[in-house]
Amino acid sequence: MADTHLQDPGLGEKYDGKTTRIINPDGTFNVVREGVGSKINNLYHFLLNVSWTQFVLVLIGGYIVANGLFAVLYLIAGIDGLAGVNDLDTTNDFLIAIFFSFQTFTTLGYGGLSPIATDINIIAGFQAMFGFMSFSIATGLLYGRFSKPSARIKYSKNILLAPYENGFALMFRIVNRRDNLLMDMSAKVLLATSRKVNGMYIRSYDQLNLAINKIDFFPLNWTIVHPIDEGSPLYGKSASEVIKLNPQVVVLIKGFDDSFSQEVHSRYSYTLKEIIFNAKFKPAYKVFEDGSTHININDIDAYTKLEGKVGDILKKESQKV
Amino acid sequence: MADTHLQDPGLGEKYDGKTTRIINPDGTFNVVREGVGSKINNLYHFLLNVSWTQFVLVLIGGYIVANGLFAVLYLIAGIDGLAGVNDLDTTNDFLIAIFFSFQTFTTLGYGGLSPIATDINIIAGFQAMFGFMSFSIATGLLYGRFSKPSARIKYSKNILLAPYENGFALMFRIVNRRDNLLMDMSAKVLLATSRKVNGMYIRSYDQLNLAINKIDFFPLNWTIVHPIDEGSPLYGKSASEVIKLNPQVVVLIKGFDDSFSQEVHSRYSYTLKEIIFNAKFKPAYKVFEDGSTHININDIDAYTKLEGKVGDILKKESQKV
Amino acid sequence: MADTHLQDPGLGEKYDGKTTRIINPDGTFNVVREGVGSKINNLYHFLLNVSWTQFVLVLIGGYIVANGLFAVLYLIAGIDGLAGVNDLDTTNDFLIAIFFSFQTFTTLGYGGLSPIATDINIIAGFQAMFGFMSFSIATGLLYGRFSKPSARIKYSKNILLAPYENGFALMFRIVNRRDNLLMDMSAKVLLATSRKVNGMYIRSYDQLNLAINKIDFFPLNWTIVHPIDEGSPLYGKSASEVIKLNPQVVVLIKGFDDSFSQEVHSRYSYTLKEIIFNAKFKPAYKVFEDGSTHININDIDAYTKLEGKVGDILKKESQKV
Amino acid sequence: MADTHLQDPGLGEKYDGKTTRIINPDGTFNVVREGVGSKINNLYHFLLNVSWTQFVLVLIGGYIVANGLFAVLYLIAGIDGLAGVNDLDTTNDFLIAIFFSFQTFTTLGYGGLSPIATDINIIAGFQAMFGFMSFSIATGLLYGRFSKPSARIKYSKNILLAPYENGFALMFRIVNRRDNLLMDMSAKVLLATSRKVNGMYIRSYDQLNLAINKIDFFPLNWTIVHPIDEGSPLYGKSASEVIKLNPQVVVLIKGFDDSFSQEVHSRYSYTLKEIIFNAKFKPAYKVFEDGSTHININDIDAYTKLEGKVGDILKKESQKV
């Protein structure tokens, strides 16, 4: 490994304990941030990022809870302040209160139930405002969820140590998981290694050279290749030497999302157990008879194990060169 | 053609079949992507990109279907749970149910029809919520459709091989199809050629030098010119040699949309049959008496065929130089 | 003037008539674009950019017209299809129809007027949908109007030929007209000159060197200075020579709007009659006793005429150097 | 201090009085801008930036005032133009008018109160429109408040003069206060000093070299370090010499907000009294047993005073080197 490492890319160099995966598969960092305070903006971000199922459940749940609370207010004010109560099939006061709450919250206001008491009129005036604002917030959230231009890049499950030109190379593949048009992609790949010094864990970073680090278009998959040549921090290392360094490959992808006209970023990290020694990716796209090209995004994971001893291939490879 | 081609710009180099046009006229790639899953976000993108006519039809159709489904629910609950049914002109239960559904979905709630049964009250409470959310989603879609800052660049129908300085040049013209102000335009033009090797189709890419590859302002048309000089992969080629390469000209335009304050991109590809040998574009703008400049965006297609044999002009041209 | 001009920055080089001001004071180009088609998106842009007064008038006018049209539909269907007509003070059928239309369009639905006929029920169901969508579109427009991050740069009315170091310089000032925080500003200034050749007007462009062409912060005014030294196309020219060239100074400002987190652009052009020979700008900001700095954005226009013959100062200046 | 300072970064060089802090802790400039006019857009920006408490108070207050004003209109028109008045519990005309106003503004329209007079019908038709538009504007504001991608960077309270390698360095720390993912951070640090010349205060600017001025990721804190070496304007200065210059450290941070896919900027300035001579930051993050890293954003302020005379350390340090 070269003596001069990269400067800290912001991931920290000194740790007082053994750390695990740097970047989680969802692109977040394995860092717990405290003292941030439970800001309303964080709630917004939470609702922006939960799954659609959870989001819909939160909406329906919130709707029921909010109507329940207002129903209690109407009960306290007394539902004899409502006209039309006797026309209903039910005589359950809470049900009546919640029906009136429904009709007010959504600004339906059929009038079958209609406020006659002053306190109910005032509560209803504010509930309708609150209801309108709630739907506004829900609108904003929905729009925010749809228009969030986050790149959904699928990374191949494994990073391969594959034959490349006269030697070997580290290779992984990425593909666009969404139908957005991504363009002007660029990749930056770091190798993080760590060793224990005086009870502290010192992490070092090296940037890995790539055969191609920019592409103009991204309709297919992109195989990102780090050739293990003299410039590589892995050059001349045996597999066991590599394993001792506890390496992680940190990937940073940038691109331009043409559907949203915005720059998008994506992160990933591969740990040691995701490295496959001596394997080769299978082609991920093929041409049909009509001249169109077909790609299945799940095919980017597929690889073939190659023959030969898995052992010290890096070493051998370096000697070969 | 130069021996060293460009690295793959992300469009693939090896194909197991003969491919057709790389970029469709609407800017999408001729690639079918599978395994993406029918995500809700893709539905959003679909509705963002369909024509206005289709969009309005989807809205109206969705509105009728949603009201029909809720009408069925009301029928199941029994429309005797509604007050005011007898005041209507019609005695058709489904019509009555759909009228009540209309009035609930839109939060109209006249009250001429008013829920008295518990089940109808509950269904109505959720329909009103569902209605409000539907209109929220429609609002988001409408806003998204309007505010999508996609460049609508019109490309001249043909790419011309036209006289230029002492030789020839490939020329095409672009113009802004919308009234947005575009600025800081830049162009990148690639030549994709393909040949069959061992049953595989190998595609190569070369970047074409441009006389001007950046302009600050874009109120008029822009003629993009690739002079066929020593630096050109087409230099010294006869027309028949060019045709054998099955060339495609891939165009990538970037700019800044001042109306939306966002970067915008546009793509296009010209295939062999869109190349006109030995022709010249007609001027696309003229000055009126009041000193204002007038441009008709459809005029950028207009060209004049030049005299002379169409044959080996590239060859001749090269020899001339 | 240097023999080698700048390449065409996209504003055209050959004109078949005499042109006037290149960029209008509102930042649009003096170009009439035809064949664009009256797209719905252009209507959106129109409504995004009209003044607030016009916008509000369009909204109110549209609201009245839409309600009027639906009122006509209700009249055709027959207002005897409405319950509650006799409770109203008026017996004017059109007024009754428009009141019902108001109550339906806004989804008010008091129920004082309530649809009993089938045709009225159906029309009302769609009017309520149409009404909701209209308000959605208005919401989108309002949000679009507010969130459009267009830089509102105020340019000093005049560009001065002012003393600068040992010679002279062209100077104009800009200031941020809005309370947005602008940062990372950069300026590009072109000189467009034109001359008549064979009945055509040939326009040439030169980029003017600036003493400072980037600033990090922009809370105050920024004086943009082009020193007329050997590198300037105006160097050694007499005032009458300059006037003969029919010069225009085209300004392009870019910056980062920190309130919207977006890049913003601004354009302006100064024509000959806005050049003041031999004058000096007055300071535009001052410090108050509490240590705060005050700037009035209208003060950036203020200048003082200097003594001395206005005549051939450029020439003299050049000779001095 | 070097003789050649930086060019004015847009903060002004000549002042007619003694100025205070350049950038306020909230990132705004200490500049009062006049003549901007009380534009509707500025109101929008105000409402976008006030605290949530103030925002909610403005919404509720505006809602009450608007309803009160329409209530007055209904009183003027005469509430005998309303049907259903006698069903209410109250006989207070203003209360009745405001209840009707509530029900109209929110498009509730129960119908318990229903307009029968022509003038009330017309006022109500426009109030409902006005109400709908008001909620639209509130929706836009809410969405704008949530989606404003402003970086909330927390700066350490103090800037330390801390030991660094063989000498000293100025150090401060920043951390992301929100849960947004920030990436591609870069820092620019200026030193502003001022002296009095002929009654004017002349401010000069120097850019401070940083040990690291870019990081790729920002999940933890970032310590920004200016080593005081030969290239530093503080090199060889005694503490008293530094104090005489009335220095301010102006910080400009840029980054990419991955949650909003937008570039974000942040500003800060440290004045003399925030400099701590001879101190050292405490570590701000630690690793837990499960391998996760924990950071409390408030810990970035913590430092330890070092032993030794505080006096002329800069001088001493320079002599040491």
Side-chain angles (χ1 to χ4, degrees):
Chain A
M1 186 160 304
D3 285 76
T4 47
H5 296 295
L6 209 62
Q7 285 177 319
D8 178 8
L11 296 170
E13 288 181 319
K14 275 190 194 170
Y15 284 87
D16 55 359
K18 199 173 160 64
T19 56
T20 53
R21 178 183 268 275
I22 298 173
I23 299 176
N24 299 317
D26 66 353
T28 57
F29 290 93
N30 207 346
V31 172
V32 180
R33 309 179 75 250
E34 291 150 10
V36 179
S38 62
K39 296 259 199 125
I40 202 165
N41 278 334
N42 290 340
L43 178 65
Y44 177 78
H45 274 114
F46 169 75
L47 289 172
L48 217 54
N49 291 304
V50 293
S51 75
W52 278 104
T53 316
Q54 287 176 284
F55 181 69
V56 168
L57 288 178
V58 166
L59 279 194
I60 293 177
Y63 179 67
I64 292 172
V65 168
N67 277 296
L69 291 176
F70 274 100
V72 170
L73 286 183
Y74 292 124
L75 284 179
I76 291 168
I79 62 158
D80 50 329
L82 287 173
V85 169
N86 297 330
D87 298 336
L88 294 180
D89 284 359
T90 185
T91 55
N92 180 321
D93 278 6
F94 183 74
L95 272 185
I96 294 169
I98 211 161
F99 294 165
F100 180 69
S101 178
F102 274 160
Q103 295 169 19
T104 304
F105 196 92
T106 57
T107 78
L108 261 169
Y110 293 111
L113 289 170
S114 173
I116 50 174
T118 297
D119 46 8
I120 293 219
N121 258 305
I122 290 171
I123 300 170
F126 282 96
Q127 187 186 9
M129 184 214 176
F130 177 80
F132 225 123
M133 296 312 300
S134 304
F135 285 113
S136 295
I137 294 170
T139 303
L141 278 166
L142 275 166
Y143 183 69
R145 286 178 70 90
F146 281 126
S147 65
K148 217 170 72 86
S150 61
R152 293 283 177 86
I153 301 283
K154 180 176 158 54
Y155 292 81
S156 61
K157 267 192 203 128
N158 297 107
I159 182 165
L160 310 187
L161 190 71
Y164 179 75
E165 292 179 355
N166 297 318
F168 278 80
L170 276 178
M171 291 185 190
F172 62 95
R173 298 200 288 195
I174 62 175
V175 72
N176 181 4
R177 259 209 302 214
R178 294 169 82 171
D179 279 343
N180 299 12
L181 260 169
L182 296 184
M183 304 177 70
D184 276 325
M185 310 300 292
S186 67
K188 184 173 185 176
V189 180
L190 304 178
L191 180 77
T193 52
S194 69
R195 72 220 129 86
K196 202 172 174 177
V197 179
N198 301 330
M200 295 292 284
Y201 290 81
I202 305 296
R203 214 192 258 163
S204 305
Y205 302 92
D206 292 86
Q207 186 164 349
L208 301 181
N209 294 325
L210 303 179
I212 298 180
N213 62 6
K214 271 176 203 293
I215 56 173
D216 290 324
F217 306 101
F218 188 40
L220 301 170
N221 64 304
W222 179 18
T223 307
I224 295 171
V225 174
H226 164 63
I228 300 177
D229 54 19
E230 288 87 346
S232 170
L234 297 170
Y235 184 71
K237 292 259 182 317
S238 72
S240 58
E241 282 176 297
V242 169
I243 289 164
K244 231 180 283 170
L245 289 166
N246 188 23
Q248 286 200 38
V249 176
V250 175
V251 183
L252 178 54
I253 304 288
K254 294 185 204 180
F256 181 83
D257 184 326
D258 195 50
S259 305
F260 288 111
S261 289
Q262 287 190 305
E263 203 184 327
V264 288
H265 290 205
S266 171
R267 286 158 307 286
Y268 201 77
S269 74
Y270 288 102
T271 56
L272 192 57
K273 59 186 175 202
E274 286 145 356
I275 303 182
I276 305 288
F277 288 80
N278 212 18
K280 209 179 128 183
F281 280 118
K282 291 181 184 169
Y285 62 89
K286 51 175 174 278
V287 179
F288 277 27
E289 288 205 354
D290 62 353
S292 65
T293 308
H294 287 242
I295 181 166
N296 186 311
I297 65 163
N298 297 312
D299 288 351
I300 68 158
D301 290 334
Y303 63 87
T304 322
K305 273 299 261 176
L306 298 179
E307 285 179 30
K309 218 168 141 278
V310 190
D312 282 22
I313 48 169
L314 282 171
K315 193 125 217 167
K316 279 193 233 142
E317 178 257 318
S318 320
Q319 291 163 344
K320 242 189 293 176
V321 175
Chain B
M1 187 161 304
D3 285 76
T4 48
H5 296 295
L6 208 62
Q7 285 177 318
D8 179 7
L11 297 170
E13 289 183 318
K14 275 191 194 170
Y15 285 88
D16 56 358
K18 198 174 161 64
T19 55
T20 53
R21 177 183 270 272
I22 299 172
I23 299 177
N24 299 318
D26 66 354
T28 58
F29 290 93
N30 208 346
V31 171
V32 179
R33 310 179 74 250
E34 290 150 9
V36 179
S38 62
K39 296 260 198 126
I40 202 166
N41 277 334
N42 290 340
L43 178 64
Y44 178 77
H45 274 115
F46 169 74
L47 289 172
L48 216 54
N49 291 304
V50 293
S51 76
W52 278 105
T53 316
Q54 288 176 283
F55 181 70
V56 169
L57 289 177
V58 166
L59 281 193
I60 293 176
Y63 179 67
I64 292 172
V65 168
N67 276 295
L69 291 177
F70 275 98
V72 169
L73 286 183
Y74 293 123
L75 283 179
I76 292 168
I79 63 159
D80 49 330
L82 286 173
V85 169
N86 297 330
D87 297 337
L88 294 180
D89 284 359
T90 185
T91 56
N92 181 321
D93 279 5
F94 183 74
L95 272 185
I96 293 168
I98 211 160
F99 295 164
F100 179 69
S101 177
F102 274 160
Q103 295 168 20
T104 303
F105 196 91
T106 57
T107 79
L108 260 169
Y110 293 111
L113 289 169
S114 173
I116 49 175
T118 296
D119 48 7
I120 294 219
N121 258 304
I122 289 171
I123 300 170
F126 282 96
Q127 186 183 11
M129 184 213 177
F130 177 78
F132 225 123
M133 295 314 298
S134 305
F135 285 113
S136 293
I137 293 169
T139 302
L141 278 166
L142 274 166
Y143 183 70
R145 287 177 70 89
F146 281 126
S147 63
K148 218 169 71 85
S150 62
R152 293 284 176 86
I153 301 283
K154 180 177 159 53
Y155 292 80
S156 61
K157 266 191 204 130
N158 297 107
I159 182 166
L160 309 187
L161 191 71
Y164 178 75
E165 291 177 356
N166 297 319
F168 277 80
L170 276 178
M171 291 186 191
F172 62 95
R173 297 201 289 194
I174 62 174
V175 72
N176 182 4
R177 260 210 301 213
R178 294 169 83 170
D179 279 342
N180 300 10
L181 260 169
L182 296 183
M183 304 176 70
D184 276 325
M185 309 300 293
S186 68
K188 184 172 185 176
V189 181
L190 304 178
L191 181 77
T193 53
S194 68
R195 71 221 130 86
K196 203 173 174 176
V197 178
N198 302 330
M200 294 293 284
Y201 290 80
I202 305 296
R203 215 193 257 165
S204 307
Y205 302 92
D206 292 86
Q207 186 164 348
L208 301 181
N209 294 327
L210 303 179
I212 298 179
N213 62 7
K214 272 175 203 293
I215 56 173
D216 291 323
F217 306 101
F218 188 39
L220 301 170
N221 63 303
W222 180 17
T223 306
I224 295 171
V225 174
H226 164 62
I228 300 176
D229 54 20
E230 287 87 346
S232 169
L234 297 169
Y235 185 71
K237 292 260 181 316
S238 73
S240 57
E241 283 176 298
V242 170
I243 289 162
K244 233 180 282 171
L245 290 165
N246 188 24
Q248 285 200 39
V249 176
V250 175
V251 184
L252 177 53
I253 304 287
K254 294 186 202 179
F256 180 84
D257 184 325
D258 194 50
S259 305
F260 288 111
S261 288
Q262 287 190 306
E263 204 184 326
V264 288
H265 290 205
S266 171
R267 288 157 306 286
Y268 201 78
S269 75
Y270 287 103
T271 57
L272 191 58
K273 59 185 173 200
E274 286 146 354
I275 303 182
I276 304 290
F277 289 80
N278 212 18
K280 208 179 127 181
F281 280 118
K282 291 181 183 170
Y285 62 90
K286 50 174 174 278
V287 179
F288 278 25
E289 287 205 355
D290 62 354
S292 65
T293 309
H294 287 242
I295 181 166
N296 187 312
I297 64 162
N298 297 313
D299 287 352
I300 68 159
D301 290 335
Y303 63 86
T304 321
K305 273 299 261 175
L306 298 178
E307 284 181 30
K309 220 170 140 274
V310 189
D312 283 22
I313 47 169
L314 282 170
K315 194 125 214 170
K316 277 193 235 146
E317 178 257 319
S318 322
Q319 291 163 344
K320 244 190 291 178
V321 174
Chain C
M1 188 162 302
D3 286 75
T4 47
H5 296 295
L6 208 63
Q7 285 178 319
D8 179 7
L11 296 170
E13 289 182 319
K14 275 191 195 170
Y15 284 87
D16 57 358
K18 197 174 163 64
T19 56
T20 53
R21 177 182 269 273
I22 298 172
I23 299 176
N24 299 317
D26 66 353
T28 58
F29 290 92
N30 207 347
V31 171
V32 180
R33 310 180 74 250
E34 289 150 11
V36 179
S38 61
K39 297 260 199 126
I40 202 166
N41 277 333
N42 291 340
L43 178 64
Y44 177 76
H45 274 115
F46 169 74
L47 289 172
L48 217 54
N49 291 303
V50 293
S51 74
W52 279 104
T53 316
Q54 287 177 285
F55 181 69
V56 169
L57 288 177
V58 166
L59 281 193
I60 294 177
Y63 179 68
I64 293 172
V65 167
N67 277 296
L69 291 176
F70 275 99
V72 169
L73 286 183
Y74 293 123
L75 284 179
I76 291 168
I79 62 159
D80 49 329
L82 286 174
V85 168
N86 297 330
D87 298 336
L88 294 181
D89 284 358
T90 185
T91 55
N92 180 321
D93 278 7
F94 183 75
L95 271 185
I96 293 168
I98 211 160
F99 295 164
F100 179 70
S101 177
F102 274 160
Q103 294 168 20
T104 304
F105 196 93
T106 57
T107 78
L108 260 169
Y110 293 110
L113 289 169
S114 173
I116 50 175
T118 296
D119 47 8
I120 293 218
N121 258 303
I122 290 171
I123 300 170
F126 282 97
Q127 186 184 9
M129 185 216 178
F130 177 79
F132 224 124
M133 295 313 298
S134 305
F135 285 113
S136 294
I137 294 169
T139 302
L141 278 166
L142 274 166
Y143 183 69
R145 287 178 69 90
F146 281 126
S147 64
K148 218 169 72 86
S150 61
R152 292 285 176 88
I153 302 283
K154 180 176 159 53
Y155 292 80
S156 60
K157 267 191 203 128
N158 297 106
I159 182 166
L160 308 188
L161 190 71
Y164 178 75
E165 290 177 356
N166 297 318
F168 278 79
L170 275 178
M171 292 185 189
F172 61 96
R173 297 200 289 194
I174 63 174
V175 73
N176 182 4
R177 260 208 303 214
R178 294 169 83 171
D179 279 342
N180 300 12
L181 260 170
L182 296 183
M183 303 176 71
D184 276 325
M185 310 299 293
S186 68
K188 185 173 185 177
V189 180
L190 304 177
L191 181 77
T193 53
S194 69
R195 73 221 128 87
K196 203 173 174 177
V197 178
N198 302 330
M200 294 293 284
Y201 290 80
I202 306 297
R203 215 193 257 165
S204 305
Y205 302 92
D206 292 86
Q207 186 163 349
L208 300 182
N209 294 326
L210 303 179
I212 298 179
N213 62 7
K214 271 175 204 291
I215 56 172
D216 291 322
F217 306 101
F218 189 38
L220 301 170
N221 64 303
W222 180 16
T223 306
I224 295 171
V225 174
H226 165 60
I228 300 175
D229 55 19
E230 287 86 347
S232 168
L234 296 170
Y235 184 70
K237 291 259 182 316
S238 72
S240 58
E241 283 176 296
V242 170
I243 290 163
K244 234 181 280 171
L245 290 166
N246 187 23
Q248 286 201 38
V249 176
V250 175
V251 184
L252 179 52
I253 304 287
K254 294 186 201 177
F256 180 83
D257 185 325
D258 193 52
S259 306
F260 288 111
S261 288
Q262 286 190 308
E263 204 184 326
V264 287
H265 289 204
S266 172
R267 291 157 304 286
Y268 202 78
S269 75
Y270 288 101
T271 57
L272 191 57
K273 60 184 174 200
E274 286 146 354
I275 303 181
I276 305 289
F277 288 80
N278 211 19
K280 209 179 126 181
F281 280 118
K282 291 182 185 170
Y285 62 88
K286 48 174 175 278
V287 179
F288 277 25
E289 289 205 353
D290 63 352
S292 65
T293 309
H294 288 241
I295 182 167
N296 187 312
I297 64 163
N298 296 313
D299 288 351
I300 68 158
D301 290 336
Y303 63 85
T304 321
K305 274 297 262 178
L306 297 178
E307 284 181 32
K309 220 168 141 276
V310 188
D312 282 21
I313 48 169
L314 283 170
K315 194 125 215 169
K316 278 192 237 146
E317 179 257 316
S318 321
Q319 291 164 342
K320 245 190 291 178
V321 175
Chain D
M1 187 162 301
D3 285 76
T4 47
H5 297 294
L6 208 64
Q7 285 178 319
D8 179 8
L11 297 170
E13 290 182 317
K14 275 191 196 171
Y15 285 87
D16 56 359
K18 197 174 161 65
T19 56
T20 52
R21 178 182 267 275
I22 298 173
I23 298 176
N24 299 318
D26 65 354
T28 59
F29 290 93
N30 207 346
V31 171
V32 180
R33 309 179 75 250
E34 290 151 11
V36 179
S38 60
K39 297 260 200 126
I40 203 165
N41 277 334
N42 290 339
L43 178 65
Y44 177 77
H45 274 114
F46 169 75
L47 289 172
L48 218 54
N49 291 304
V50 293
S51 75
W52 278 104
T53 317
Q54 287 177 286
F55 181 69
V56 168
L57 288 178
V58 166
L59 280 193
I60 294 177
Y63 179 66
I64 293 173
V65 167
N67 277 296
L69 291 177
F70 274 100
V72 169
L73 286 183
Y74 293 124
L75 284 179
I76 292 168
I79 61 159
D80 50 329
L82 287 172
V85 168
N86 297 331
D87 298 336
L88 294 181
D89 284 358
T90 185
T91 56
N92 181 322
D93 279 7
F94 183 74
L95 272 184
I96 294 169
I98 211 161
F99 296 165
F100 180 69
S101 178
F102 274 159
Q103 296 169 19
T104 305
F105 196 93
T106 57
T107 78
L108 261 170
Y110 293 110
L113 289 170
S114 172
I116 49 175
T118 297
D119 45 10
I120 293 219
N121 258 304
I122 290 171
I123 299 171
F126 281 96
Q127 187 185 9
M129 184 216 179
F130 177 79
F132 225 124
M133 296 312 300
S134 305
F135 285 113
S136 295
I137 294 170
T139 302
L141 278 166
L142 274 166
Y143 183 69
R145 286 179 70 90
F146 281 125
S147 65
K148 217 169 73 85
S150 61
R152 292 283 176 89
I153 302 284
K154 180 176 158 55
Y155 293 81
S156 60
K157 266 190 204 128
N158 297 108
I159 182 167
L160 308 189
L161 190 71
Y164 179 75
E165 291 178 355
N166 297 318
F168 278 79
L170 276 178
M171 292 185 189
F172 61 95
R173 298 201 288 194
I174 62 174
V175 72
N176 182 4
R177 260 209 303 214
R178 294 169 83 170
D179 279 342
N180 301 12
L181 260 170
L182 296 183
M183 302 177 71
D184 276 326
M185 310 300 292
S186 68
K188 185 173 185 177
V189 181
L190 304 178
L191 181 77
T193 52
S194 70
R195 72 218 129 86
K196 203 172 172 176
V197 178
N198 302 329
M200 295 293 284
Y201 289 80
I202 305 298
R203 215 194 256 165
S204 306
Y205 302 92
D206 292 86
Q207 187 164 348
L208 300 182
N209 294 326
L210 303 179
I212 299 180
N213 62 6
K214 270 174 203 294
I215 56 173
D216 290 324
F217 306 101
F218 188 39
L220 301 171
N221 64 303
W222 180 18
T223 306
I224 295 171
V225 174
H226 164 61
I228 300 176
D229 55 18
E230 287 86 348
S232 169
L234 295 170
Y235 184 69
K237 291 259 183 315
S238 71
S240 57
E241 282 176 297
V242 169
I243 289 164
K244 233 181 280 171
L245 289 166
N246 187 23
Q248 286 200 38
V249 176
V250 175
V251 183
L252 178 53
I253 304 288
K254 293 187 204 178
F256 181 83
D257 184 326
D258 194 51
S259 306
F260 287 111
S261 289
Q262 286 191 308
E263 203 185 327
V264 287
H265 289 205
S266 171
R267 288 158 307 285
Y268 202 77
S269 74
Y270 288 102
T271 57
L272 192 57
K273 59 186 175 200
E274 285 146 356
I275 303 181
I276 305 289
F277 288 81
N278 210 19
K280 209 178 127 182
F281 280 118
K282 291 180 184 171
Y285 61 89
K286 49 175 173 280
V287 178
F288 277 26
E289 288 205 354
D290 63 353
S292 67
T293 308
H294 287 242
I295 181 166
N296 187 312
I297 64 163
N298 296 313
D299 288 351
I300 69 159
D301 290 335
Y303 63 86
T304 321
K305 272 299 260 177
L306 298 177
E307 284 180 32
K309 216 168 142 276
V310 190
D312 282 22
I313 47 170
L314 283 170
K315 194 128 216 168
K316 279 192 235 145
E317 178 257 317
S318 321
Q319 290 162 346
K320 246 188 291 180
V321 174

